[in-house]
Amino acid sequence: MPEGLDQAFPWERDGEWLDTKYPYVVHAELNTISNSTEDINGCSIYVTLFPCCECAKALVQSGVKKV
């Protein structure tokens, strides 16, 4: 969830799309890229599951070399 918005949006898993958490959640990989204060070009990232397609593209574009 974007910082500061965790109380303003729903946390439900079921129901109408906009009444669930899914349209508002930021994936960990994208959150890491967005909040990095150091140059991450050439870095490795450790994840528990395979990144989704959108996160994988963002990782490549940011210069991460190893997942």
Side-chain angles (χ1 to χ4, degrees):
M1 189 66 72
E3 186 175 339
L5 299 180
D6 57 338
Q7 301 299 320
F9 292 95
W11 279 97
E12 301 300 323
R13 291 183 176 193
D14 299 316
E16 295 294 321
W17 177 250
L18 293 178
D19 294 332
T20 66
K21 64 182 181 175
Y22 300 111
Y24 310 105
V25 171
V26 177
H27 289 189
E29 299 89 346
L30 189 55
N31 200 25
T32 300
I33 293 167
S34 299
N35 292 306
S36 61
T37 58
E38 303 289 325
D39 182 18
I40 59 173
N41 189 33
C43 289
S44 298
I45 188 170
Y46 294 86
V47 295
T48 56
L49 299 170
F50 293 109
C52 72
C53 291
E54 293 302 313
C55 287
K57 291 187 285 187
L59 291 168
V60 170
Q61 286 296 108
S62 68
V64 172
K65 296 295 180 198
K66 186 175 180 181
V67 177

